[in-house]
Amino acid sequence: MKKSNFALRLQPSLLDEARKLSEAEGVALNQFINVAVAEKVSALRTESYIAERAARADLPKALRVLKRAGRDRAPVKGDEMPKAKRKRGSSSMRHCPSLC
């Protein structure tokens, strides 16, 4: 692995917190900062990956697939809907605004 140096200017309060946390984690400050940057890069790449996949999505097709999922088949043991959550004659999609 190729290593490079980079002069990083942190606000004193942020540097103090980073030092405290790296000590609490038992790692060098440099390693702590490397991991923090890696986590942020990973989060941003994941966000853009999901956005790209969502842009290619065919929502009507996905909803058709979900509508027929499990039709005429009993749930696998452990996957049953709790009795308190069951509603007769209604679609679960109508009651889930985050998916509609």
Side-chain angles (χ1 to χ4, degrees):
M1 171 175 47
K2 182 179 177 184
K3 296 182 181 186
S4 59
N5 291 327
F6 179 77
L8 180 62
R9 291 182 206 66
L10 293 175
Q11 293 190 3
S13 60
L14 183 57
L15 180 57
D16 289 342
E17 283 299 311
R19 280 190 176 127
K20 288 176 190 173
L21 290 169
S22 67
E23 286 176 17
E25 292 291 315
V27 297
L29 178 60
N30 188 62
Q31 179 66 21
F32 181 82
I33 292 171
N34 270 287
V35 170
V37 170
E39 288 177 1
K40 183 64 176 185
V41 167
S42 175
L44 293 173
R45 283 192 174 167
T46 299
E47 182 180 347
S48 65
Y49 171 78
I50 291 171
E52 289 169 11
R53 290 293 305 257
R56 297 190 322 245
D58 182 345
L59 189 58
K61 183 177 180 181
L63 291 175
R64 284 193 306 272
V65 169
L66 288 172
K67 194 172 190 177
R68 64 174 203 261
R71 187 178 290 168
D72 301 325
R73 279 181 249 131
V76 175
K77 184 174 170 99
D79 284 350
E80 304 90 354
M81 184 71 109
K83 289 182 182 180
K85 299 263 184 184
R86 293 181 194 168
K87 294 191 185 281
R88 292 183 186 209
S90 65
S91 168
S92 61
M93 291 301 289
R94 280 185 259 148
H95 299 287
C96 188
S98 65
L99 294 176
C100 300

